[in-house]
Amino acid sequence: MSEETSRTQFERFVGFLPRVGGILFALSIVALIASYVVARDLKFDQNIEALYAADDPQLNRYLESKNLFGGDEFLVIAWPEENLFGEDENELTDRASERIRKFAESLSAIEGISSNSTQSLESVLRFPFGKQKLLQVVEGTLVNEDRTVTAIVLRLTPESDADKRAKSFREVRALADAHDPPAFVTGEPIHIHDLFRYVEEDGRLLFRISFAILALVLLILLGSIRWIILPAIIVAVSIKSTEAILVLSDVKLSMVSAILNSLVTIIGVATTTHLAVRFRQHRATYEPREALQRTMSELLVPIFWTCATTACGFLALLSSHITPMRSFGLMMALASILVFAAVVLILPAGALWFQRNGQSSAAETSHRRLIAMLQRNSRFVGRSPKLVLLLTTAVVVFAAFGFRKLEVETDFSKNFRESSSLVQALNFVETRLGGTGTLEVNFPAPEQLTDDYLEQVDKLATRLEALEDDGQKLLTSVESLYEGLQLVPRIPFVLNTPRKRLDRMKPIQPEFEQTLYNSERQRMRIFMRTYERQSAARKNEVIDRIEQTTAEAAKSAPIFEDFKVSGVFVLLTFLIDSLMADQIVSFSWAAIMIFAVMTIAFRSLWMGLIGIVPNLFPIVLVLGGMGWMGLKINIATAMITCVSMGLTVDSTIHFLSAFRRELRAGYGVDQALSLTTQDVGRALIFANLALVAGFSVLTFSQFIPLVYFGMLVSLAMIGGLIGNLLLLPIMLRFVYGTKQPAAETDTPESVEVA
């Protein structure tokens, strides 16, 4: 098919759209209603397992341990308590004993709490043997070293219903808040719950706020209600269609994908901003239908390619090791394409309804000032390309030195604001009581326990407890079956075997055995606690030293050869460790795919390169800025590079398409660049202002990674705008020279309809 034939067919298609605009608009409303009905069944997956691929070895170890020992879903409720002990340092005062007992009973009565497993100082001191030794065992868990803080440890029942689990947490916190003095609630299950809760709640709230701010920005810039209503409909159709497809595909929202609505809103608004600006330009000369047809003829193909490159940016997240990022990449790629479909369905009718001539004088005045500024910018770039390149290079070099300062955030509490109840509880427990990070080493065990075997376990537990670095212990507590059995005295013929002593403990601690030993599956574990608020290096050292110590023990005690280190602490540490590698790999894939798409779109390797280079500038700016500002890479900022590139390259496509359109109109390179900077530059500034306004809303999130994400993507948008208005014209002059080329045949428009 010849280029001329392809172009003719495309023009016919564009001319046909306004004639059936009413039908297309009606179809979009039907799709919106149907999608809304289906999308109501969209679920939010709040399990930690959702963060990993099903075949991940760390996840499989965790699930295996959960199946063996019932899982380590514990809550710690801690508070300062005066006069815990009286003259007898091993006996609680009557007042303290009664207060702890009543509080423990109230907590144990909550649905979702395993009442038989509740541990408190009052309950453990009922044990008739070895109270001094017993207090040493529970130190760091139920009481602190100076005996001014006590705690109750609750074990959660297995629960797959997130709503019931959330209800249990609310009731526990309500009782803790009502306690005098107020108690702090912490523990990995509630940490993870809060993480998902904050993200889900913020996702809904920030979506509404972001759209309100975007609407206000558009009203100020364009002075028209129409260009607020149309983006709203386009965004609604795109979001609900995406959600409906997710439901039909049995895909759930995850921690990262909670911001899907906000991102789709920003993409939809940025897309319609380009259409609005160009349509209003043509309305100054042509009747509405002709203005719309010219607008769609000029921008429909660039918009298709911008949506395609945005989708590529998100698809690069498929390279991530983190399951939510992969699923989020697919969701956003789908949503990006649906934005284009929604534009085709809604714009032909919506742009023509309720037309009025002219625009507000305030908008006209601001537009004239903006055009004048863009003209000055174009002349400056044309006269001083070396100065622009020199300044840009200096900024890039300075930012690049910030790469060396990049670190991964491993402190779980840093995901939340310091004022949050979670952070306050974590600070209290970790500074006044002991660590909240839980992990284990499990290994084979005989079906019938022997004293010799348990002594080997004790030797390993002792070596683990002694692990330290720079004089500081790596583990805050180490619990083994042997240690618990030492509380029961050996009595010849009566309590002379491990089994008899374990049976003696059951009335007081009914779940003690099953949390550490599974006789049917013949596995045992040593349970450990460590500080959650540690650096990535320190967390990895904790895990490595446990593995090394157990491996060394296995040399003299073969029972430990088949050992496995696991736990939520391990899961989260390895999850975070993969973020830095994900950042590099996903960025590389995003760059490769976007380069390929732009090369296909413009049928030119030069154009593919030109499209990529200016958009590397904001990436270097963002990553370097993170290093210099001390911002650490977390689960949200790990998406920055590929998401930013997918969004900033949209402006590049619009600029290149408009530049080549001016060349085809007969203008020379300099004049084509000047006209492009004035016309498209205005739309780029409007679109980027809308993007920055939308992303800035994320800074109000309770989930700190989203705050950084919004701030850094906004910085990337500004960097991308600078790259497209300053660097891109210089590169185009370098490729095209100053003379006007011959008639071009490799236009992106011809590619689209070929």
Side-chain angles (χ1 to χ4, degrees):
M1 184 181 294
S2 67
E3 178 199 346
E4 184 177 351
T5 302
S6 299
R7 186 66 190 174
T8 301
Q9 290 181 352
F10 176 71
E11 294 294 345
R12 288 176 180 172
F13 172 72
V14 170
F16 174 73
L17 289 177
R19 293 197 296 272
V20 296
I23 297 174
L24 295 177
F25 191 89
L27 287 174
S28 68
I29 299 302
V30 171
L32 176 60
I33 295 172
S35 298
Y36 176 80
V37 173
V38 176
R40 288 184 299 180
D41 293 330
L42 186 62
K43 303 296 183 181
F44 195 86
D45 195 341
Q46 297 189 16
N47 294 317
I48 190 172
E49 291 90 336
L51 300 176
Y52 289 84
D55 59 350
D56 186 274
Q58 296 298 334
L59 175 63
N60 289 332
R61 287 185 182 184
Y62 170 77
L63 293 177
E64 180 184 358
S65 171
K66 193 174 181 179
N67 185 42
L68 286 169
F69 307 108
D72 300 321
E73 296 190 300
F74 294 102
L75 298 183
V76 178
I77 296 83
W79 70 96
E81 182 76 38
E82 295 181 357
N83 303 319
L84 270 172
F85 296 88
E87 293 182 2
D88 185 346
E89 296 181 353
N90 298 324
E91 290 286 351
L92 292 171
T93 64
D94 292 341
R95 178 181 179 276
S97 179
E98 183 67 10
R99 279 168 51 81
I100 294 171
R101 183 186 63 80
K102 288 183 176 180
F103 193 23
E105 288 177 351
S106 299
L107 292 167
S108 299
I110 294 173
E111 184 180 1
I113 302 299
S114 177
S115 58
N116 291 333
S117 301
T118 299
Q119 297 181 31
S120 68
L121 266 183
E122 187 273 336
S123 65
V124 299
L125 288 177
R126 294 180 207 161
F127 200 70
F129 309 112
K131 292 188 178 182
Q132 184 175 0
K133 173 65 175 177
L134 186 59
L135 284 171
Q136 294 174 358
V137 171
V138 300
E139 190 174 286
T141 303
L142 299 181
V143 65
N144 67 338
E145 186 177 0
D146 60 12
R147 304 196 177 179
T148 58
V149 172
T150 187
I152 295 172
V153 176
L154 305 175
R155 187 169 192 167
L156 301 168
T157 58
E159 182 60 72
S160 59
D161 191 316
D163 293 334
K164 290 183 179 179
R165 176 60 61 84
K167 182 174 180 290
S168 300
F169 290 151
R170 286 195 300 270
E171 292 180 5
V172 168
R173 276 188 164 142
L175 287 177
D177 291 340
H179 187 268
D180 183 23
F184 296 92
V185 182
T186 188
E188 284 165 337
I190 204 166
H191 294 170
I192 295 169
H193 165 78
D194 282 353
L195 185 151
F196 284 107
R197 177 172 62 88
Y198 281 137
V199 172
E200 185 177 13
E201 291 175 354
D202 285 354
R204 290 194 297 264
L205 178 62
L206 296 177
F207 164 60
R208 301 187 187 102
I209 297 176
S210 64
F211 186 80
I213 292 179
L214 287 168
L216 180 62
V217 171
L218 290 179
L219 183 62
I220 293 172
L221 295 177
L222 301 176
S224 172
I225 298 295
R226 168 199 312 279
W227 295 107
I228 295 175
I229 296 175
L230 284 179
I233 300 174
I234 289 171
V235 166
V237 170
S238 303
I239 289 175
K240 291 304 172 185
S241 298
T242 302
E243 291 179 346
I245 293 173
L246 294 180
V247 171
L248 296 175
S249 303
D250 196 28
V251 175
K252 295 180 181 180
L253 290 179
S254 64
M255 177 176 59
V256 179
S257 54
I259 59 172
L260 180 143
N261 290 357
S262 296
L263 288 180
V264 176
T265 299
I266 291 165
I267 294 171
V269 168
T271 300
T272 51
T273 299
H274 285 281
L275 290 163
V277 171
R278 194 60 179 168
F279 177 72
R280 289 161 68 88
Q281 287 175 341
H282 284 312
R283 276 291 286 118
T285 307
Y286 302 102
E287 291 300 315
R289 186 177 291 272
E290 178 67 16
L292 175 63
Q293 187 167 340
R294 287 177 176 270
T295 299
M296 296 184 69
S297 177
E298 293 170 357
L299 295 187
L300 199 58
V301 170
I303 286 175
F304 169 79
W305 290 116
T306 59
C307 290
T309 52
T310 299
C312 286
F314 285 108
L315 284 174
L317 293 174
L318 291 175
S319 63
S320 174
H321 294 85
I322 302 173
T323 299
M325 283 195 181
R326 295 203 295 268
S327 61
F328 177 66
L330 283 173
M331 293 176 195
M332 284 305 305
L334 172 64
S336 300
I337 299 302
L338 287 175
V339 166
F340 175 76
V343 167
V344 174
L345 289 173
I346 294 165
L347 186 70
L352 297 178
W353 289 346
F354 308 111
Q355 278 291 328
R356 65 181 178 86
N357 294 323
Q359 58 184 2
S360 68
S361 58
E364 289 178 349
T365 301
S366 63
H367 288 197
R368 285 197 296 269
R369 290 174 180 171
L370 181 58
I371 290 173
M373 182 192 75
L374 290 169
Q375 288 174 336
R376 290 194 296 271
N377 172 78
S378 182
R379 289 194 295 268
F380 170 72
V381 173
R383 290 196 303 264
S384 310
K386 293 182 180 179
L387 177 60
V388 172
L389 290 175
L390 180 63
L391 291 174
T392 304
T393 302
V395 171
V396 168
V397 171
F398 176 76
F401 276 104
F403 288 4
R404 298 178 302 172
K405 299 178 178 291
L406 285 174
E407 296 179 4
V408 177
E409 182 60 79
T410 59
D411 185 345
F412 185 84
S413 67
K414 296 298 184 182
N415 290 316
F416 308 93
R417 296 187 183 274
E418 288 292 330
S419 59
S420 69
S421 59
L422 184 149
V423 174
Q424 291 178 356
L426 192 60
N427 287 340
F428 178 83
V429 172
E430 294 226 328
T431 57
R432 301 287 302 277
L433 190 61
T436 60
T438 59
L439 67 166
E440 68 174 54
V441 55
N442 68 72
F443 38 81
E447 187 174 358
Q448 296 295 327
L449 295 176
T450 65
D451 288 328
D452 289 342
Y453 173 84
L454 290 173
E455 286 173 3
Q456 293 294 333
V457 172
D458 179 57
K459 289 179 181 178
L460 174 59
T462 302
R463 294 178 66 179
L464 292 172
E465 193 171 15
L467 293 177
E468 61 177 40
D469 181 57
D470 293 333
Q472 183 178 357
K473 284 194 171 185
L474 295 179
L475 300 171
T476 59
S477 71
V478 177
E479 300 175 25
S480 70
L481 198 71
Y482 177 89
E483 186 178 41
L485 285 177
Q486 291 303 103
L487 301 174
V488 182
R490 296 171 182 265
I491 301 176
F493 306 109
V494 178
L495 296 175
N496 59 338
T497 66
R499 170 48 54 201
K500 290 178 180 179
R501 298 204 302 278
L502 282 173
D503 291 341
R504 181 67 180 85
M505 295 185 69
K506 281 185 179 179
I508 300 173
Q509 292 293 323
E511 294 188 1
F512 171 75
E513 178 182 347
Q514 69 184 56
T515 60
L516 296 172
Y517 172 52
N518 187 317
S519 58
E520 292 182 2
R521 301 280 295 278
Q522 298 182 33
R523 297 289 292 188
M524 182 176 287
R525 69 171 177 168
I526 296 174
F527 184 72
M528 296 159 284
R529 295 183 187 276
T530 185
Y531 293 110
E532 175 59 42
R533 306 196 72 173
Q534 301 184 78
S535 67
R538 187 59 171 255
K539 286 187 172 183
N540 279 304
E541 183 181 2
V542 170
I543 297 170
D544 291 343
R545 294 282 295 277
I546 290 172
E547 290 179 339
Q548 292 171 9
T549 301
T550 309
E552 290 172 3
K555 294 177 181 178
S556 58
I559 59 171
F560 300 124
E561 286 182 354
D562 182 23
F563 74 89
K564 298 175 183 178
V565 177
S566 183
V568 176
F569 179 87
V570 178
L571 276 182
L572 294 177
T573 300
F574 279 99
L575 176 74
I576 294 168
D577 272 351
S578 67
L579 292 180
M580 188 71 81
D582 283 351
Q583 182 92 282
I584 298 171
V585 174
S586 62
F587 166 68
S588 301
W589 276 112
I592 291 170
M593 288 192 292
I594 290 173
F595 167 73
V597 169
M598 293 191 68
T599 299
I600 294 171
F602 293 99
R603 288 185 177 176
S604 168
L605 286 173
W606 275 111
M607 285 298 167
L609 288 172
I610 287 176
I612 286 293
V613 173
N615 292 286
L616 295 177
F617 174 71
I619 303 302
V620 174
L621 194 66
V622 166
L623 292 180
M626 287 180 64
W628 284 114
M629 291 186 290
L631 300 180
K632 297 183 179 181
I633 295 174
N634 54 44
I635 197 166
T637 57
M639 302 186 296
I640 286 293
T641 53
C642 51
V643 172
S644 297
M645 179 167 281
L647 293 174
T648 59
V649 78
D650 294 356
S651 298
T652 304
I653 291 175
H654 282 289
F655 194 101
L656 292 176
S657 298
F659 170 71
R660 294 175 67 145
R661 187 167 60 242
E662 300 297 348
L663 288 181
R664 290 197 306 274
Y667 295 106
V669 172
D670 287 339
Q671 194 170 4
L673 284 172
S674 178
L675 291 171
T676 300
T677 301
Q678 294 175 44
D679 292 342
V680 177
R682 182 167 29 153
L684 295 187
I685 290 176
F686 287 172
N688 278 274
L689 282 175
L691 283 168
V692 171
F695 278 113
S696 65
V697 175
L698 295 177
T699 59
F700 296 101
S701 174
Q702 291 294 316
F703 188 50
I704 297 301
L706 291 187
V707 175
Y708 290 165
F709 182 78
M711 180 174 61
L712 294 171
V713 173
S714 296
L715 179 62
M717 296 298 101
I718 296 172
L721 182 64
I722 294 173
N724 285 308
L725 293 181
L726 295 182
L727 296 179
L728 194 55
I730 294 175
M731 296 182 67
L732 287 171
R733 280 191 174 91
F734 174 77
V735 172
Y736 281 88
T738 56
K739 62 180 181 179
Q740 180 181 335
E744 295 217 323
T745 60
D746 57 338
T747 65
E749 291 85 354
S750 67
V751 175
E752 163 65 11
V753 295

